[in-house]
């Protein structure tokens, strides 16, 4: 079983560690019903066409990992992107799964408040006058800081805040990290949500960024030193792919980016920071050509991604520099063309 674990696992640490240390705020969770386990029928699993790993009872694992994190960080907003497994050929299991989910959200509490009371409810009176999604500060103030969405409409329950992902999101196909590929999966280029009572809010963009079926395949592309472009989670691959996906979906920035091996996500977090607040595009990754770099500029003498060369009098933002700076052209930089200069 240890070999199968290595094949299937695509994260190094527990959910609690991912939330508290790696700053993850969205979780892709698979659940599956096991009628043989009377004490914990609903299981937290990782399942694909080749393998199914059982990580324990869903309620138990949320109690160990999610609840303490939410109690420690009262500002955190966490999203569950949930899929059910094992019910594809037996739809009669779905009402049972839904009932077990309700029981979990009734049973588990954060400082005495049931999870049911902490889920985001788009039809709440709090948001009836909102033309679009509430701000993060408004969500924190409301206490509705769990966003829970499922892959099937069978699990919609507005009382519990359970939503259907295709009502709220657009999503690209789960597999692929090529910077010039962003295949639609569902609700592509649909600008507005399609909740039963809300058709006016902006549709969210969930961006998948996984190379492979197995964690064993993806790990060497993410974890290691001197990976080209910083690896799959690095500036040189992730940022150009975000740009390409945006060019295909009408310019919508991703609200969620799903990654393997989030303990190696420092550059991915920098990409998210740049998308949200601007600043400086990442440089310094190993490269052998311009297309390995987020700036499309590789210093071939040093094999390092550098800021984009722009004339000193340029008023544009030179990628890799702050506004008002430029990267010295090769003829004038005396070997220092990974530095930004004031224009």
């Amino acid at each position: 079983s240890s070999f199968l674990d290595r094949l299937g696992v695509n994260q190094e640490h527990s959910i609690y560690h991912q939330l508290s240390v790696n700053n993850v705020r969205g979780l892709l969770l698979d659940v599956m019903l096991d009628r043989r386990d009377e004490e914990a029928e609903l299981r937290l699993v990782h399942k694909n066409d080749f393998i199914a790993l059982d990580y324990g009872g869903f309620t138990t694992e949320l109690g160990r990992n999610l609840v303490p994190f939410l109690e420690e960080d009262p500002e955190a907003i966490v999203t569950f992107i949930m899929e059910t497994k094992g019910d594809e050929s037996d739809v009669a299991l779905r009402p049972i799964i839904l009932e077990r989910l309700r029981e979990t959200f009734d049973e588990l509490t954060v400082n005495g408040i049931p999870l049911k009371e902490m889920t985001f409810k788009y039809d709440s009176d709090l948001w009836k006058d909102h033309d679009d999604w509430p701000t993060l500060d408004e969500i924190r103030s409301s206490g509705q800081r769990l966003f829970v969405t499922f892959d099937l409409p069978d699990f919609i329950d507005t009382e519990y805040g359970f939503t259907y992902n295709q009502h709220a999101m657009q999503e690209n196909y789960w597999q692929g990290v090529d910077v010039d590929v962003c295949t639609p999966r569902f609700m592509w280029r649909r600008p507005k949500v399609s909740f039963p009572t809300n058709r006016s809010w902006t549709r969210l963009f969930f961006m998948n960024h996984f190379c492979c079926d197995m964690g064993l395949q993806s790990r060497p592309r993410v974890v290691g030193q001197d990976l080209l472009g910083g690896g799959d989670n690095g500036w040189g691959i992730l940022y150009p792919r975000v740009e390409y996906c945006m060019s295909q979906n009408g310019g919508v920035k991703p609200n969620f980016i799903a990654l393997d091996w989030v303990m190696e996500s420092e550059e991915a977090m920098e990409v998210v920071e740049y998308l949200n607040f601007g600043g400086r595009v990442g440089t310094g990754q190993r490269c052998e050509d311009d297309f390995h770099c987020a700036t499309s500029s590789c210093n071939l003498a040093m094999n390092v991604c550098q800021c984009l060369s722009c004339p000193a009098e340029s008023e544009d933002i030179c990628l890799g520099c702050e506004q008002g700076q430029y990267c010295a052209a090769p003829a004038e930089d005396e070997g220092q063309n990974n530095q930004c200069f004031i224009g």
Side-chain angles (χ1 to χ4, degrees):
S1 63
S2 61
F3 173 70
L4 294 179
D5 287 350
R6 291 197 301 275
L7 278 178
V9 168
N10 61 353
Q11 303 296 346
E12 185 82 6
H13 300 111
S14 68
I15 290 173
Y16 174 78
H17 189 280
Q18 293 175 49
L19 292 168
S20 60
V21 177
N22 301 129
N23 205 32
V24 167
R25 291 297 179 266
L27 300 167
L28 278 68
L29 301 178
D30 296 346
V31 292
M32 186 173 181
L33 200 67
D34 185 351
R35 306 305 301 274
R36 298 168 300 178
D37 193 321
E38 296 181 3
E39 293 186 0
E41 283 188 335
L42 193 63
R43 314 297 294 177
L44 182 64
V45 301
H46 183 74
K47 187 177 185 299
N48 56 32
D49 293 338
F50 306 99
I51 196 170
L53 302 176
D54 187 326
Y55 293 107
F58 179 67
T59 304
T60 300
E61 292 306 310
L62 287 197
R64 288 174 178 167
N65 292 277
L66 176 69
V67 168
F69 170 71
L70 292 176
E71 290 181 337
E72 292 165 9
D73 189 346
E75 299 293 304
I77 299 169
V78 178
T79 298
F80 288 179
I81 311 293
M82 300 192 63
E83 292 192 8
T84 57
K85 302 294 183 179
D87 57 339
E88 299 88 350
S89 58
D90 191 353
V91 296
L93 293 176
R94 292 174 185 170
I96 304 171
I97 294 173
L98 179 57
E99 186 56 34
R100 297 297 172 267
L101 288 163
R102 290 174 178 143
E103 290 171 359
T104 295
F105 279 72
D106 282 329
E107 176 183 335
L108 295 179
T109 64
V110 175
N111 295 320
I113 302 173
L115 293 187
K116 172 188 175 182
E117 305 301 324
M118 296 183 63
T119 55
F120 181 82
K121 300 170 181 69
Y122 71 87
D123 58 351
S124 168
D125 286 344
L126 290 170
W127 320 126
K128 64 181 180 181
D129 296 325
H130 279 60
D131 295 328
D132 214 327
W133 294 90
T135 66
L136 295 180
D137 284 342
E138 287 176 318
I139 291 173
R140 292 185 183 101
S141 297
S142 75
Q144 296 183 7
R145 50 195 186 101
L146 287 178
F147 183 56
V148 184
T149 183
F150 287 86
D151 61 327
L152 294 169
D154 305 64
F155 301 102
I156 293 173
D157 190 324
T158 55
E159 181 182 354
Y160 282 77
F162 299 164
T163 61
Y164 177 38
N165 58 5
Q166 293 193 32
H167 285 167
M169 299 177 179
Q170 62 173 312
E171 182 176 332
N172 62 310
Y173 183 63
W174 74 267
Q175 186 175 27
V177 294
D178 291 342
V179 298
D180 59 351
V181 176
C182 197
T183 305
R185 188 177 189 183
F186 62 72
M187 306 306 285
W188 201 242
R189 297 183 71 94
R190 304 286 184 89
K192 301 296 182 180
V193 299
S194 50
F195 293 124
T197 59
N198 183 336
R199 305 285 174 132
S200 63
W201 291 3
T202 303
R203 184 172 292 275
L204 306 175
F205 175 26
F206 181 87
M207 179 178 164
N208 286 299
H209 188 70
F210 302 112
C211 73
C212 323
D213 283 311
M214 302 289 190
L216 197 65
Q217 296 170 300
S218 63
R219 188 181 177 95
R221 300 172 56 101
V222 175
V223 181
Q225 300 296 316
D226 295 325
L227 298 174
L228 286 172
D232 284 354
N233 292 357
W235 272 101
I237 296 177
L238 178 58
Y239 178 67
R241 188 156 190 261
V242 169
E243 284 194 307
Y244 184 78
C245 285
M246 290 174 59
S247 76
Q248 299 300 297
N249 73 359
V252 180
K253 294 180 183 179
N255 302 93
F256 311 93
I257 302 178
L259 305 170
D260 279 343
W261 307 110
V262 295
M263 77 287 192
E264 294 289 342
S265 61
E266 181 179 350
E267 291 192 17
M269 294 297 183
E270 292 175 0
V271 171
V272 170
E273 183 80 5
Y274 179 80
L275 291 171
N276 286 332
F277 305 109
R280 181 171 177 166
V281 172
T283 57
Q285 298 77 26
R286 186 170 77 86
C287 60
E288 295 175 356
D289 208 321
D290 287 345
F291 61 76
H292 293 141
C293 302
T295 58
S296 298
S297 183
C298 176
N299 182 330
L300 295 177
M302 301 168 62
N303 293 114
V304 171
C305 292
Q306 64 183 5
C307 45
L308 189 66
S309 294
C310 299
E313 65 275 9
S314 174
E315 296 181 359
D316 296 328
I317 298 176
C318 299
L319 288 182
C321 297
E322 300 288 355
Q323 190 166 8
Q325 296 181 331
Y326 72 100
C327 190
E332 63 181 277
D333 73 350
E334 298 181 355
Q336 296 182 331
N337 55 338
N338 195 36
Q339 298 183 19
C340 296
F341 299 87
I342 302 297

